[in-house]
Amino acid sequence: MTNDQAAMTNVVCSVLTAAGRGAIAVVRVGGAGSDRIVDDCFTGASGRPLSAAPLNAIRFGVWRNSGEEVVACRRASDDIELHCHGGAAAVRAIVQSLVQRGATESNDQSTPGSCAQQAWRQLPRALTQRTAGILLDQANGALDRALAEIDALAKHDVAAARAQREQLLKFAPLGEHLTKPWQVVLAGPPNAGKSSLANALLGYGRSIVFNEPGTTREVVTTTTAIDGWPVAISDTAGLRETNDPLEAAGVEQTVDKLAGADLIVHVSPSDEPTPHFVAPDSKPCLRVISKIDLRRPPVVDGVLATSVVTGEGIAELLEAISRALVPEAPPVGAAVMFTPTRS
Ligand SMILES: Nc1nc2c(ncn2[C@@H]2O[C@H](COP(=O)(O)OP(=O)(O)OP(=O)(O)O)[C@@H](O)[C@H]2O)c(=O)[nH]1
Ligand SMILES: [Mg+2]
């Protein structure tokens, strides 16, 4: 190592993408001297060094020691993102040449034991781009800063500290679902159009639809994203008393699934209105009148009306689900308490 390289030992490189197969991998290079190390390894297509590029400009080029094509971006001075082919060899080649020039490889870029460190670990498990963005804010220190601020305030202004804490807790329910989907369960009487509605929400024919009550037996769960939030939608067997043991087993599964739901979507057909549904444990419940192309029901406050034939009300139902799960989305960069999951 030359003297010049020894002076660069503050540079840390981290592979941000999860280990395993992936089309693209991202390596972050941070710390004083990052610009110089990367300039030493990366030749931009324009011939100009990356350090001359404006912040957030995307530069295409080649990693000299491997000949791999790389996309580079300076996120801040001495904070660079390198996007390369996702194969392990391409990533290793980049990390090795950075380490040879004095960088330290790290699995995270935060203080040990901090929320930021935990967020880095959770980041590969984020289920959508939107939840990844929220975790990235915490990885960049939003939650650590907010907690430190509350600590500092508590020493001289307890009321202000309490108010800050309340503000922080506001997004805690969302923080439980950055790496774990919300459970949304469609329920209602047989033949109400639950499977049709599940398919309409998912955008493809996941469940069998048939004009006979008792078609769906086992719970059919599919994970999707609604408004960027990860959601597991469960289509269930119609709720009714039955002597058929197979159908009764399906109804039992429905009842179990309802007990674990974060949100229930109760579906009742416009041509055969069902008695008022009482959600178990007062769970949040959206009420939907389906098949409104057959019979148009009177408008009732808080009740959604849908038709999978005309598409009416489907966008409104998606919006209502999103709003019920996340009444208020955190602004970019906000502190969000999150619940780590283990895979
Ligand atoms: N006209 C009309 N028919 C619908 C609509 N939604 C569903 N149907 C029809 O209603 C019948 C039952 O639909 P499903 O989606 O299978 O109903 P389900 O509630 O899943 O029924 P089970 O699984 O038996 O409980 C099918 O013939 C559908 O084509 C709608 O919005 N309009
Ligand atoms: Mg069904």
Side-chain angles (χ1 to χ4, degrees):
M1 194 189 295
T2 64
N3 284 348
D4 216 18
Q5 285 165 351
M8 290 174 180
T9 46
N10 282 340
V11 176
V12 176
C13 60
S14 331
V15 182
L16 297 188
T17 35
R21 267 202 272 172
I24 302 283
V26 182
V27 179
R28 184 180 184 189
V29 192
S34 303
D35 276 343
R36 289 165 61 199
I37 287 194
V38 172
D39 278 351
D40 213 20
C41 303
F42 173 82
T43 306
S46 67
R48 280 193 293 278
L50 185 70
S51 55
L55 295 187
N56 293 319
I58 290 167
R59 292 289 180 261
F60 174 74
V62 169
W63 200 255
R64 267 179 229 142
N65 80 331
S66 62
E68 279 277 345
E69 292 177 334
V70 166
V71 172
C73 178
R74 294 175 67 230
R75 305 308 303 253
S77 74
D78 286 325
D79 186 359
I80 298 163
E81 265 180 30
L82 303 167
H83 297 240
C84 65
H85 183 266
V91 177
R92 275 296 105 205
I94 288 182
V95 170
Q96 258 167 24
S97 41
L98 292 168
V99 169
Q100 275 164 9
R101 283 162 180 80
T104 310
E105 187 182 2
S106 164
N107 290 328
D108 61 71
Q109 306 197 339
S110 46
T111 320
S114 66
C115 299
Q117 187 184 46
Q118 190 63 259
W120 280 118
R121 289 208 198 99
Q122 291 294 304
L123 199 51
R125 298 193 177 115
L127 294 171
T128 65
Q129 201 175 348
R130 194 167 190 185
T131 58
I134 294 171
L135 270 174
L136 193 58
D137 285 338
Q138 314 321 308
N140 286 328
L143 182 53
D144 285 321
R145 280 191 296 277
L147 292 172
E149 228 172 83
I150 293 172
D151 261 2
L153 268 178
K155 291 186 183 113
H156 58 92
D157 189 346
V158 175
R162 213 170 271 157
Q164 287 268 66
R165 196 190 58 180
E166 290 308 309
Q167 182 66 20
L168 190 57
L169 288 175
K170 197 167 70 173
F171 299 123
L174 163 65
E176 284 176 35
H177 294 282
L178 303 180
T179 54
K180 188 180 89 176
W182 279 268
Q183 298 293 324
V184 174
V185 180
L186 270 72
N191 223 38
K194 302 177 296 298
S195 298
S196 306
L197 209 51
N199 291 346
L201 294 175
L202 293 166
Y204 72 105
R206 172 70 174 90
S207 287
I208 296 171
V209 167
F210 195 61
N211 191 16
E212 217 160 88
T215 300
T216 304
R217 298 287 170 97
E218 279 182 290
V219 176
V220 180
T221 302
T222 312
T223 303
T224 187
I226 296 179
D227 211 8
W229 307 124
V231 176
I233 292 184
S234 291
D235 175 27
T236 61
L239 291 164
R240 69 170 168 185
E241 298 274 327
T242 172
N243 292 324
D244 174 354
L246 192 57
E247 192 180 348
V251 172
E252 209 176 303
Q253 267 200 4
T254 304
V255 172
D256 282 352
K257 199 72 201 172
L258 286 172
D262 296 303
L263 175 68
I264 296 169
V265 176
H266 185 262
V267 187
S268 168
S270 65
D271 54 342
E272 264 180 83
T274 43
H276 187 70
F277 171 77
V278 179
D281 305 325
S282 319
K283 280 180 185 289
C285 180
L286 294 173
R287 289 165 205 284
V288 173
I289 305 285
S290 60
K291 309 191 190 183
I292 58 165
D293 54 294
L294 296 180
R295 188 181 151 269
R296 193 156 284 276
V299 176
V300 178
D301 227 22
V303 177
L304 291 137
T306 62
S307 164
V308 300
V309 173
T310 64
E312 247 182 297
I314 304 298
E316 287 80 357
L317 176 56
L318 286 165
E319 205 185 306
I321 292 173
S322 168
R323 230 179 312 117
L325 300 177
V326 187
E328 185 185 339
V332 174
V336 174
M337 293 177 79
F338 58 94
T339 309
T341 52
R342 292 167 219 291
S343 52

